[in-house]
Structure formats: structure tokens, C-alpha cells
Amino acid sequence: GAEGVAALAASQHVATLRVLVLSSNPISDAGAEALLRSPLADSLERLDLHQCGIGPHLQLALRKKMGPRVRT
């Protein structure tokens, strides 16, 4: 859920992570916001958040920040 994604996004142990697939997990807007604030949003080559319960305004924010590297 959102708390797990927030912990993941804040972890120093994922600095070298290049692909993150969270599709069909209920991360909601709170998890999406944590990812947006995280350095992961800049370093990931691919982020899959398909069917994660993220609202349209955060989907747009993710696409603006990450471009084609994100799937919502």
C-alpha cells in the first residue's frame, strides 16, 4: 500500500533501482505523491503504476515529471 511505497521511496537501498513495477497494487494517491517527491522519479528508467488507484491529477503529475518512463 501507500505506506510501503513511501518507505521504499525514502530508502537509500534503492538508489540503483532502474525498473519498478507496482501495477495492480493499491498504492493510491499517497503512494504516488511519495514517489513524486523521491529521487526515484528522476532515476528510474521505467515505473509501472497501472491500476494502482491513483487519481487523474497525480497521474498527470507523474507523466509530466517522468514522461514516457511511467505507465499509469
Side-chain angles (χ1 to χ4, degrees):
E3 292 174 0
V5 171
L8 178 73
S11 174
Q12 64 185 7
H13 301 291
V14 296
T16 59
L17 191 66
R18 294 293 168 240
V19 175
L20 182 58
V21 178
L22 296 171
S23 59
S24 299
N25 284 287
I27 71 162
S28 69
D29 286 355
E33 287 174 358
L35 287 168
L36 271 171
R37 292 189 305 267
S38 167
L40 282 175
D42 295 320
S43 64
L44 285 173
E45 294 172 6
R46 189 175 123 222
L47 175 61
D48 189 335
L49 299 173
H50 184 69
Q51 296 182 338
C52 288
I54 300 169
H57 66 285
L58 280 169
Q59 289 183 33
L60 180 61
L62 284 160
R63 284 194 299 272
K64 281 184 178 180
K65 183 164 185 137
M66 297 185 69
R69 299 178 297 131
V70 66
R71 176 181 181 225
T72 57

Short mmCIF file of all heavy atoms in Angstrom, two decimals:
data_model
loop_
_atom_site.label_atom_id
_atom_site.label_comp_id
_atom_site.label_asym_id
_atom_site.label_seq_id
_atom_site.Cartn_x
_atom_site.Cartn_y
_atom_site.Cartn_z
N GLY A 1 0.81 -1.19 0.00
CA GLY A 1 0.00 0.00 0.00
C GLY A 1 0.85 1.25 0.00
O GLY A 1 2.06 1.22 -0.26
N ALA A 2 0.22 2.35 0.28
CA ALA A 2 0.88 3.66 0.26
C ALA A 2 2.03 3.76 1.25
O ALA A 2 3.08 4.34 0.94
CB ALA A 2 -0.14 4.76 0.54
N GLU A 3 1.87 3.17 2.44
CA GLU A 3 2.94 3.25 3.44
C GLU A 3 4.19 2.49 2.98
O GLU A 3 5.32 2.95 3.18
CB GLU A 3 2.45 2.70 4.77
CG GLU A 3 1.40 3.57 5.42
CD GLU A 3 0.81 2.95 6.68
OE1 GLU A 3 1.22 1.84 7.06
OE2 GLU A 3 -0.07 3.58 7.26
N GLY A 4 3.99 1.35 2.36
CA GLY A 4 5.13 0.58 1.84
C GLY A 4 5.85 1.31 0.73
O GLY A 4 7.08 1.30 0.67
N VAL A 5 5.09 1.95 -0.15
CA VAL A 5 5.70 2.70 -1.25
C VAL A 5 6.47 3.90 -0.70
O VAL A 5 7.57 4.21 -1.16
CB VAL A 5 4.64 3.14 -2.27
CG1 VAL A 5 5.23 4.11 -3.28
CG2 VAL A 5 4.08 1.93 -2.99
N ALA A 6 5.91 4.56 0.32
CA ALA A 6 6.61 5.70 0.93
C ALA A 6 7.93 5.25 1.54
O ALA A 6 8.96 5.93 1.40
CB ALA A 6 5.71 6.36 1.97
N ALA A 7 7.93 4.11 2.22
CA ALA A 7 9.16 3.57 2.80
C ALA A 7 10.17 3.22 1.72
O ALA A 7 11.36 3.52 1.85
CB ALA A 7 8.85 2.36 3.67
N LEU A 8 9.71 2.61 0.66
CA LEU A 8 10.57 2.26 -0.46
C LEU A 8 11.16 3.51 -1.10
O LEU A 8 12.36 3.58 -1.36
CB LEU A 8 9.78 1.46 -1.51
CG LEU A 8 10.53 1.05 -2.76
CD1 LEU A 8 11.50 -0.07 -2.44
CD2 LEU A 8 9.55 0.60 -3.83
N ALA A 9 10.33 4.50 -1.33
CA ALA A 9 10.78 5.74 -1.98
C ALA A 9 11.81 6.48 -1.13
O ALA A 9 12.68 7.15 -1.68
CB ALA A 9 9.58 6.64 -2.25
N ALA A 10 11.73 6.34 0.18
CA ALA A 10 12.65 7.04 1.07
C ALA A 10 13.93 6.25 1.36
O ALA A 10 14.87 6.78 1.93
CB ALA A 10 11.94 7.36 2.38
N SER A 11 13.97 5.01 0.94
CA SER A 11 15.10 4.14 1.27
C SER A 11 16.33 4.46 0.43
O SER A 11 16.24 4.66 -0.78
CB SER A 11 14.71 2.68 1.03
OG SER A 11 15.83 1.84 1.22
N GLN A 12 17.47 4.45 1.08
CA GLN A 12 18.73 4.64 0.36
C GLN A 12 19.17 3.38 -0.37
O GLN A 12 20.04 3.41 -1.22
CB GLN A 12 19.82 5.08 1.32
CG GLN A 12 20.15 4.04 2.37
CD GLN A 12 21.15 4.53 3.38
OE1 GLN A 12 21.51 5.69 3.41
NE2 GLN A 12 21.59 3.63 4.24
N HIS A 13 18.54 2.26 -0.06
CA HIS A 13 18.92 0.98 -0.65
C HIS A 13 18.39 0.78 -2.07
O HIS A 13 18.71 -0.22 -2.70
CB HIS A 13 18.45 -0.17 0.24
CG HIS A 13 19.02 -0.10 1.62
ND1 HIS A 13 20.35 -0.30 1.90
CD2 HIS A 13 18.44 0.19 2.81
CE1 HIS A 13 20.57 -0.16 3.17
NE2 HIS A 13 19.42 0.14 3.76
N VAL A 14 17.58 1.69 -2.55
CA VAL A 14 17.02 1.55 -3.90
C VAL A 14 17.63 2.54 -4.89
O VAL A 14 17.12 2.71 -5.98
CB VAL A 14 15.48 1.66 -3.89
CG1 VAL A 14 14.86 0.53 -3.11
CG2 VAL A 14 15.03 3.01 -3.37
N ALA A 15 18.71 3.15 -4.51
CA ALA A 15 19.33 4.18 -5.35
C ALA A 15 19.72 3.67 -6.73
O ALA A 15 19.71 4.43 -7.70
CB ALA A 15 20.54 4.79 -4.64
N THR A 16 20.05 2.40 -6.84
CA THR A 16 20.47 1.85 -8.13
C THR A 16 19.33 1.15 -8.87
O THR A 16 19.54 0.62 -9.95
CB THR A 16 21.63 0.86 -7.95
OG1 THR A 16 21.21 -0.20 -7.09
CG2 THR A 16 22.85 1.56 -7.37
N LEU A 17 18.14 1.18 -8.30
CA LEU A 17 16.98 0.57 -8.94
C LEU A 17 16.67 1.29 -10.25
O LEU A 17 16.66 2.52 -10.31
CB LEU A 17 15.78 0.66 -8.00
CG LEU A 17 14.53 -0.12 -8.36
CD1 LEU A 17 14.81 -1.62 -8.29
CD2 LEU A 17 13.42 0.22 -7.39
N ARG A 18 16.43 0.54 -11.31
CA ARG A 18 16.15 1.15 -12.62
C ARG A 18 14.72 0.90 -13.09
O ARG A 18 14.18 1.70 -13.84
CB ARG A 18 17.13 0.62 -13.67
CG ARG A 18 18.55 1.04 -13.40
CD ARG A 18 18.69 2.55 -13.56
NE ARG A 18 19.95 3.02 -13.04
CZ ARG A 18 20.09 3.91 -12.05
NH1 ARG A 18 19.04 4.43 -11.47
NH2 ARG A 18 21.27 4.30 -11.65
N VAL A 19 14.11 -0.21 -12.67
CA VAL A 19 12.74 -0.55 -13.07
C VAL A 19 11.95 -0.90 -11.82
O VAL A 19 12.42 -1.69 -10.99
CB VAL A 19 12.73 -1.75 -14.06
CG1 VAL A 19 11.31 -2.17 -14.38
CG2 VAL A 19 13.49 -1.40 -15.33
N LEU A 20 10.76 -0.31 -11.70
CA LEU A 20 9.89 -0.59 -10.57
C LEU A 20 8.49 -0.85 -11.10
O LEU A 20 7.88 0.01 -11.73
CB LEU A 20 9.88 0.59 -9.59
CG LEU A 20 9.04 0.44 -8.33
CD1 LEU A 20 9.48 -0.77 -7.51
CD2 LEU A 20 9.13 1.71 -7.49
N VAL A 21 8.00 -2.06 -10.87
CA VAL A 21 6.67 -2.46 -11.33
C VAL A 21 5.79 -2.65 -10.10
O VAL A 21 6.02 -3.57 -9.32
CB VAL A 21 6.72 -3.74 -12.17
CG1 VAL A 21 5.32 -4.16 -12.60
CG2 VAL A 21 7.62 -3.55 -13.39
N LEU A 22 4.81 -1.77 -9.95
CA LEU A 22 3.87 -1.84 -8.83
C LEU A 22 2.44 -2.01 -9.31
O LEU A 22 1.50 -1.81 -8.55
CB LEU A 22 3.98 -0.56 -7.98
CG LEU A 22 5.33 -0.35 -7.29
CD1 LEU A 22 5.39 1.04 -6.68
CD2 LEU A 22 5.56 -1.41 -6.24
N SER A 23 2.26 -2.38 -10.56
CA SER A 23 0.93 -2.47 -11.14
C SER A 23 0.02 -3.36 -10.31
O SER A 23 0.46 -4.35 -9.72
CB SER A 23 1.00 -2.97 -12.58
OG SER A 23 1.61 -4.23 -12.64
N SER A 24 -1.25 -2.96 -10.26
CA SER A 24 -2.31 -3.68 -9.54
C SER A 24 -2.11 -3.73 -8.04
O SER A 24 -2.64 -4.60 -7.37
CB SER A 24 -2.49 -5.09 -10.11
OG SER A 24 -2.85 -5.01 -11.48
N ASN A 25 -1.32 -2.82 -7.49
CA ASN A 25 -1.16 -2.69 -6.05
C ASN A 25 -1.84 -1.39 -5.61
O ASN A 25 -1.70 -0.36 -6.28
CB ASN A 25 0.32 -2.64 -5.66
CG ASN A 25 0.96 -4.00 -5.71
OD1 ASN A 25 0.70 -4.84 -4.86
ND2 ASN A 25 1.77 -4.23 -6.73
N PRO A 26 -2.56 -1.41 -4.52
CA PRO A 26 -3.32 -0.23 -4.09
C PRO A 26 -2.45 0.83 -3.42
O PRO A 26 -2.55 1.07 -2.22
CB PRO A 26 -4.33 -0.83 -3.11
CG PRO A 26 -3.60 -1.98 -2.50
CD PRO A 26 -2.75 -2.54 -3.61
N ILE A 27 -1.61 1.50 -4.21
CA ILE A 27 -0.73 2.50 -3.60
C ILE A 27 -1.43 3.84 -3.41
O ILE A 27 -0.99 4.65 -2.61
CB ILE A 27 0.59 2.67 -4.37
CG1 ILE A 27 0.37 3.37 -5.70
CG2 ILE A 27 1.29 1.35 -4.56
CD1 ILE A 27 1.64 3.94 -6.28
N SER A 28 -2.49 4.09 -4.15
CA SER A 28 -3.32 5.29 -4.05
C SER A 28 -2.53 6.58 -4.26
O SER A 28 -1.36 6.56 -4.61
CB SER A 28 -4.06 5.32 -2.71
OG SER A 28 -3.16 5.54 -1.63
N ASP A 29 -3.18 7.69 -4.04
CA ASP A 29 -2.55 9.00 -4.24
C ASP A 29 -1.39 9.22 -3.29
O ASP A 29 -0.38 9.83 -3.65
CB ASP A 29 -3.58 10.11 -4.08
CG ASP A 29 -4.52 10.23 -5.25
OD1 ASP A 29 -4.34 9.51 -6.26
OD2 ASP A 29 -5.47 11.03 -5.17
N ALA A 30 -1.51 8.72 -2.05
CA ALA A 30 -0.44 8.92 -1.07
C ALA A 30 0.86 8.27 -1.53
O ALA A 30 1.94 8.86 -1.41
CB ALA A 30 -0.87 8.37 0.29
N GLY A 31 0.78 7.08 -2.06
CA GLY A 31 1.97 6.42 -2.57
C GLY A 31 2.54 7.12 -3.80
O GLY A 31 3.76 7.24 -3.94
N ALA A 32 1.66 7.59 -4.67
CA ALA A 32 2.11 8.32 -5.86
C ALA A 32 2.81 9.61 -5.47
O ALA A 32 3.83 9.97 -6.06
CB ALA A 32 0.92 8.62 -6.77
N GLU A 33 2.30 10.31 -4.47
CA GLU A 33 2.94 11.54 -4.01
C GLU A 33 4.33 11.25 -3.45
O GLU A 33 5.27 12.01 -3.68
CB GLU A 33 2.07 12.23 -2.96
CG GLU A 33 0.84 12.87 -3.55
CD GLU A 33 -0.10 13.44 -2.50
OE1 GLU A 33 0.17 13.30 -1.29
OE2 GLU A 33 -1.12 14.02 -2.91
N ALA A 34 4.47 10.15 -2.71
CA ALA A 34 5.78 9.78 -2.18
C ALA A 34 6.77 9.51 -3.31
O ALA A 34 7.93 9.92 -3.24
CB ALA A 34 5.65 8.55 -1.28
N LEU A 35 6.32 8.85 -4.35
CA LEU A 35 7.19 8.59 -5.49
C LEU A 35 7.57 9.88 -6.21
O LEU A 35 8.71 10.04 -6.65
CB LEU A 35 6.53 7.61 -6.46
CG LEU A 35 6.47 6.17 -5.98
CD1 LEU A 35 5.54 5.35 -6.88
CD2 LEU A 35 7.87 5.55 -5.95
N LEU A 36 6.63 10.80 -6.34
CA LEU A 36 6.91 12.08 -7.00
C LEU A 36 7.99 12.86 -6.26
O LEU A 36 8.82 13.53 -6.88
CB LEU A 36 5.65 12.93 -7.08
CG LEU A 36 4.79 12.75 -8.30
CD1 LEU A 36 3.48 13.50 -8.15
CD2 LEU A 36 5.51 13.22 -9.55
N ARG A 37 7.99 12.80 -4.95
CA ARG A 37 8.96 13.53 -4.12
C ARG A 37 10.30 12.81 -4.03
O ARG A 37 11.29 13.38 -3.60
CB ARG A 37 8.42 13.75 -2.71
CG ARG A 37 7.25 14.70 -2.64
CD ARG A 37 6.89 15.04 -1.20
NE ARG A 37 6.65 13.85 -0.39
CZ ARG A 37 5.45 13.29 -0.19
NH1 ARG A 37 4.39 13.83 -0.74
NH2 ARG A 37 5.33 12.21 0.56
N SER A 38 10.33 11.56 -4.41
CA SER A 38 11.50 10.72 -4.26
C SER A 38 12.50 10.93 -5.40
O SER A 38 12.12 11.19 -6.53
CB SER A 38 11.06 9.26 -4.25
OG SER A 38 12.15 8.40 -4.39
N PRO A 39 13.78 10.74 -5.09
CA PRO A 39 14.78 10.75 -6.17
C PRO A 39 14.54 9.64 -7.20
O PRO A 39 15.03 9.73 -8.33
CB PRO A 39 16.11 10.52 -5.43
CG PRO A 39 15.85 10.90 -4.03
CD PRO A 39 14.39 10.64 -3.78
N LEU A 40 13.77 8.63 -6.83
CA LEU A 40 13.45 7.56 -7.78
C LEU A 40 12.76 8.10 -9.03
O LEU A 40 12.96 7.59 -10.12
CB LEU A 40 12.54 6.51 -7.14
CG LEU A 40 13.20 5.50 -6.22
CD1 LEU A 40 12.14 4.62 -5.57
CD2 LEU A 40 14.20 4.66 -6.97
N ALA A 41 11.95 9.13 -8.88
CA ALA A 41 11.23 9.69 -10.02
C ALA A 41 12.19 10.22 -11.08
O ALA A 41 11.87 10.27 -12.26
CB ALA A 41 10.28 10.79 -9.57
N ASP A 42 13.38 10.60 -10.65
CA ASP A 42 14.38 11.10 -11.59
C ASP A 42 15.28 10.00 -12.13
O ASP A 42 15.78 10.10 -13.25
CB ASP A 42 15.25 12.17 -10.91
CG ASP A 42 14.44 13.39 -10.53
OD1 ASP A 42 13.58 13.81 -11.32
OD2 ASP A 42 14.68 13.93 -9.43
N SER A 43 15.48 8.94 -11.35
CA SER A 43 16.47 7.94 -11.75
C SER A 43 15.89 6.68 -12.40
O SER A 43 16.61 5.98 -13.11
CB SER A 43 17.31 7.53 -10.54
OG SER A 43 16.50 6.90 -9.56
N LEU A 44 14.62 6.40 -12.18
CA LEU A 44 14.04 5.19 -12.76
C LEU A 44 13.95 5.28 -14.28
O LEU A 44 13.60 6.32 -14.82
CB LEU A 44 12.63 4.93 -12.21
CG LEU A 44 12.53 4.40 -10.80
CD1 LEU A 44 11.07 4.38 -10.35
CD2 LEU A 44 13.13 3.02 -10.68
N GLU A 45 14.27 4.19 -14.93
CA GLU A 45 14.10 4.10 -16.38
C GLU A 45 12.67 3.72 -16.73
O GLU A 45 12.18 4.04 -17.80
CB GLU A 45 15.07 3.07 -16.95
CG GLU A 45 16.52 3.48 -16.81
CD GLU A 45 17.49 2.38 -17.21
OE1 GLU A 45 17.06 1.33 -17.71
OE2 GLU A 45 18.70 2.58 -17.00
N ARG A 46 12.01 3.00 -15.82
CA ARG A 46 10.62 2.61 -16.04
C ARG A 46 9.90 2.45 -14.70
O ARG A 46 10.43 1.83 -13.78
CB ARG A 46 10.56 1.29 -16.80
CG ARG A 46 9.15 0.94 -17.24
CD ARG A 46 9.12 -0.30 -18.11
NE ARG A 46 8.22 -1.24 -17.45
CZ ARG A 46 8.42 -2.53 -17.31
NH1 ARG A 46 9.50 -3.07 -17.78
NH2 ARG A 46 7.55 -3.28 -16.73
N LEU A 47 8.71 3.01 -14.63
CA LEU A 47 7.85 2.90 -13.45
C LEU A 47 6.47 2.51 -13.92
O LEU A 47 5.85 3.21 -14.70
CB LEU A 47 7.80 4.23 -12.69
CG LEU A 47 6.85 4.31 -11.50
CD1 LEU A 47 7.22 3.30 -10.42
CD2 LEU A 47 6.84 5.72 -10.93
N ASP A 48 5.98 1.37 -13.46
CA ASP A 48 4.67 0.87 -13.87
C ASP A 48 3.71 0.98 -12.68
O ASP A 48 3.88 0.29 -11.68
CB ASP A 48 4.77 -0.57 -14.34
CG ASP A 48 3.48 -1.06 -14.99
OD1 ASP A 48 2.40 -0.52 -14.69
OD2 ASP A 48 3.56 -2.00 -15.80
N LEU A 49 2.73 1.86 -12.81
CA LEU A 49 1.73 2.08 -11.77
C LEU A 49 0.32 1.84 -12.32
O LEU A 49 -0.64 2.45 -11.85
CB LEU A 49 1.84 3.52 -11.24
CG LEU A 49 3.17 3.89 -10.60
CD1 LEU A 49 3.22 5.36 -10.28
CD2 LEU A 49 3.41 3.05 -9.36
N HIS A 50 0.22 0.96 -13.28
CA HIS A 50 -1.08 0.67 -13.90
C HIS A 50 -2.01 0.03 -12.87
O HIS A 50 -1.63 -0.88 -12.15
CB HIS A 50 -0.86 -0.26 -15.09
CG HIS A 50 -2.10 -0.56 -15.86
ND1 HIS A 50 -2.74 0.40 -16.61
CD2 HIS A 50 -2.82 -1.69 -15.98
CE1 HIS A 50 -3.81 -0.15 -17.18
NE2 HIS A 50 -3.87 -1.41 -16.80
N GLN A 51 -3.22 0.53 -12.79
CA GLN A 51 -4.27 0.03 -11.91
C GLN A 51 -3.84 0.07 -10.43
O GLN A 51 -4.00 -0.90 -9.70
CB GLN A 51 -4.70 -1.38 -12.31
CG GLN A 51 -5.34 -1.42 -13.67
CD GLN A 51 -5.81 -2.80 -14.06
OE1 GLN A 51 -5.35 -3.81 -13.55
NE2 GLN A 51 -6.77 -2.84 -14.98
N CYS A 52 -3.31 1.20 -10.01
CA CYS A 52 -2.87 1.36 -8.63
C CYS A 52 -3.76 2.30 -7.82
O CYS A 52 -3.42 2.67 -6.70
CB CYS A 52 -1.42 1.86 -8.59
SG CYS A 52 -0.23 0.60 -9.07
N GLY A 53 -4.88 2.72 -8.39
CA GLY A 53 -5.79 3.59 -7.66
C GLY A 53 -5.29 5.02 -7.51
O GLY A 53 -5.57 5.68 -6.52
N ILE A 54 -4.56 5.49 -8.50
CA ILE A 54 -4.02 6.85 -8.48
C ILE A 54 -4.97 7.77 -9.23
O ILE A 54 -5.38 7.47 -10.35
CB ILE A 54 -2.62 6.89 -9.12
CG1 ILE A 54 -1.67 5.97 -8.35
CG2 ILE A 54 -2.08 8.30 -9.17
CD1 ILE A 54 -0.36 5.73 -9.06
N GLY A 55 -5.29 8.90 -8.61
CA GLY A 55 -6.21 9.85 -9.22
C GLY A 55 -5.62 10.52 -10.45
O GLY A 55 -4.40 10.54 -10.65
N PRO A 56 -6.49 11.09 -11.29
CA PRO A 56 -6.03 11.68 -12.56
C PRO A 56 -5.03 12.81 -12.39
O PRO A 56 -4.12 12.95 -13.21
CB PRO A 56 -7.31 12.17 -13.23
CG PRO A 56 -8.43 11.92 -12.30
CD PRO A 56 -7.93 11.14 -11.14
N HIS A 57 -5.18 13.63 -11.36
CA HIS A 57 -4.24 14.76 -11.20
C HIS A 57 -2.83 14.27 -10.87
O HIS A 57 -1.85 14.84 -11.34
CB HIS A 57 -4.75 15.74 -10.15
CG HIS A 57 -4.79 15.20 -8.76
ND1 HIS A 57 -5.76 14.31 -8.33
CD2 HIS A 57 -3.97 15.41 -7.71
CE1 HIS A 57 -5.53 13.99 -7.07
NE2 HIS A 57 -4.45 14.64 -6.67
N LEU A 58 -2.72 13.19 -10.12
CA LEU A 58 -1.38 12.65 -9.84
C LEU A 58 -0.84 11.84 -11.00
O LEU A 58 0.37 11.82 -11.23
CB LEU A 58 -1.39 11.83 -8.55
CG LEU A 58 -1.34 12.71 -7.30
CD1 LEU A 58 -1.60 11.90 -6.05
CD2 LEU A 58 -0.01 13.41 -7.20
N GLN A 59 -1.71 11.21 -11.75
CA GLN A 59 -1.26 10.53 -12.96
C GLN A 59 -0.63 11.55 -13.91
O GLN A 59 0.44 11.30 -14.49
CB GLN A 59 -2.42 9.82 -13.65
CG GLN A 59 -2.90 8.60 -12.91
CD GLN A 59 -4.00 7.88 -13.67
OE1 GLN A 59 -4.01 7.85 -14.89
NE2 GLN A 59 -4.93 7.29 -12.94
N LEU A 60 -1.27 12.69 -14.05
CA LEU A 60 -0.75 13.75 -14.91
C LEU A 60 0.58 14.27 -14.38
O LEU A 60 1.53 14.48 -15.15
CB LEU A 60 -1.77 14.88 -15.04
CG LEU A 60 -1.36 16.06 -15.90
CD1 LEU A 60 -1.10 15.62 -17.34
CD2 LEU A 60 -2.43 17.13 -15.88
N ALA A 61 0.67 14.49 -13.08
CA ALA A 61 1.91 14.98 -12.48
C ALA A 61 3.05 14.00 -12.71
O ALA A 61 4.18 14.40 -13.01
CB ALA A 61 1.71 15.25 -10.99
N LEU A 62 2.77 12.71 -12.57
CA LEU A 62 3.79 11.70 -12.82
C LEU A 62 4.24 11.70 -14.28
O LEU A 62 5.43 11.63 -14.58
CB LEU A 62 3.27 10.31 -12.44
CG LEU A 62 3.23 10.01 -10.95
CD1 LEU A 62 2.28 8.85 -10.66
CD2 LEU A 62 4.63 9.69 -10.44
N ARG A 63 3.28 11.82 -15.19
CA ARG A 63 3.63 11.84 -16.62
C ARG A 63 4.42 13.10 -16.97
O ARG A 63 5.34 13.05 -17.79
CB ARG A 63 2.38 11.72 -17.48
CG ARG A 63 1.84 10.29 -17.51
CD ARG A 63 0.81 10.08 -18.60
NE ARG A 63 -0.37 10.92 -18.48
CZ ARG A 63 -1.46 10.60 -17.77
NH1 ARG A 63 -1.53 9.47 -17.13
NH2 ARG A 63 -2.48 11.42 -17.74
N LYS A 64 4.10 14.23 -16.35
CA LYS A 64 4.85 15.45 -16.60
C LYS A 64 6.29 15.33 -16.11
O LYS A 64 7.21 15.79 -16.76
CB LYS A 64 4.19 16.65 -15.92
CG LYS A 64 3.00 17.18 -16.66
CD LYS A 64 2.47 18.42 -15.98
CE LYS A 64 1.31 18.99 -16.76
NZ LYS A 64 0.77 20.20 -16.12
N LYS A 65 6.47 14.71 -14.95
CA LYS A 65 7.80 14.58 -14.39
C LYS A 65 8.62 13.48 -15.08
O LYS A 65 9.81 13.66 -15.31
CB LYS A 65 7.73 14.28 -12.90
CG LYS A 65 9.08 14.20 -12.24
CD LYS A 65 9.00 14.29 -10.75
CE LYS A 65 10.41 14.32 -10.21
NZ LYS A 65 10.58 15.29 -9.17
N MET A 66 7.98 12.37 -15.41
CA MET A 66 8.72 11.21 -15.90
C MET A 66 8.54 10.93 -17.38
O MET A 66 9.26 10.12 -17.94
CB MET A 66 8.33 9.98 -15.09
CG MET A 66 8.69 10.09 -13.63
SD MET A 66 8.35 8.56 -12.75
CE MET A 66 9.61 7.49 -13.46
N GLY A 67 7.57 11.56 -18.00
CA GLY A 67 7.35 11.35 -19.42
C GLY A 67 7.02 9.90 -19.75
O GLY A 67 6.29 9.24 -19.01
N PRO A 68 7.60 9.39 -20.83
CA PRO A 68 7.27 8.03 -21.26
C PRO A 68 7.83 6.93 -20.36
O PRO A 68 7.57 5.75 -20.57
CB PRO A 68 7.86 7.94 -22.66
CG PRO A 68 8.97 8.93 -22.66
CD PRO A 68 8.53 10.03 -21.76
N ARG A 69 8.59 7.31 -19.35
CA ARG A 69 9.17 6.31 -18.43
C ARG A 69 8.14 5.77 -17.44
O ARG A 69 8.40 4.80 -16.74
CB ARG A 69 10.35 6.90 -17.67
CG ARG A 69 11.48 7.33 -18.57
CD ARG A 69 12.64 7.95 -17.80
NE ARG A 69 12.22 9.17 -17.12
CZ ARG A 69 12.45 9.43 -15.83
NH1 ARG A 69 13.10 8.57 -15.08
NH2 ARG A 69 12.04 10.56 -15.30
N VAL A 70 6.96 6.40 -17.36
CA VAL A 70 5.94 5.97 -16.41
C VAL A 70 4.71 5.45 -17.12
O VAL A 70 4.30 5.99 -18.15
CB VAL A 70 5.56 7.09 -15.41
CG1 VAL A 70 4.88 8.24 -16.10
CG2 VAL A 70 4.72 6.56 -14.28
N ARG A 71 4.10 4.41 -16.57
CA ARG A 71 2.83 3.89 -17.07
C ARG A 71 1.86 3.98 -15.92
O ARG A 71 2.09 3.43 -14.85
CB ARG A 71 2.99 2.43 -17.52
CG ARG A 71 1.69 1.80 -17.96
CD ARG A 71 1.92 0.36 -18.36
NE ARG A 71 0.67 -0.25 -18.80
CZ ARG A 71 0.26 -1.45 -18.43
NH1 ARG A 71 1.01 -2.18 -17.62
NH2 ARG A 71 -0.86 -1.92 -18.86
N THR A 72 0.76 4.71 -16.13
CA THR A 72 -0.25 4.86 -15.09
C THR A 72 -1.57 4.27 -15.52
O THR A 72 -1.78 3.98 -16.66
CB THR A 72 -0.48 6.33 -14.71
OG1 THR A 72 -0.85 7.06 -15.88
CG2 THR A 72 0.76 6.93 -14.08
#
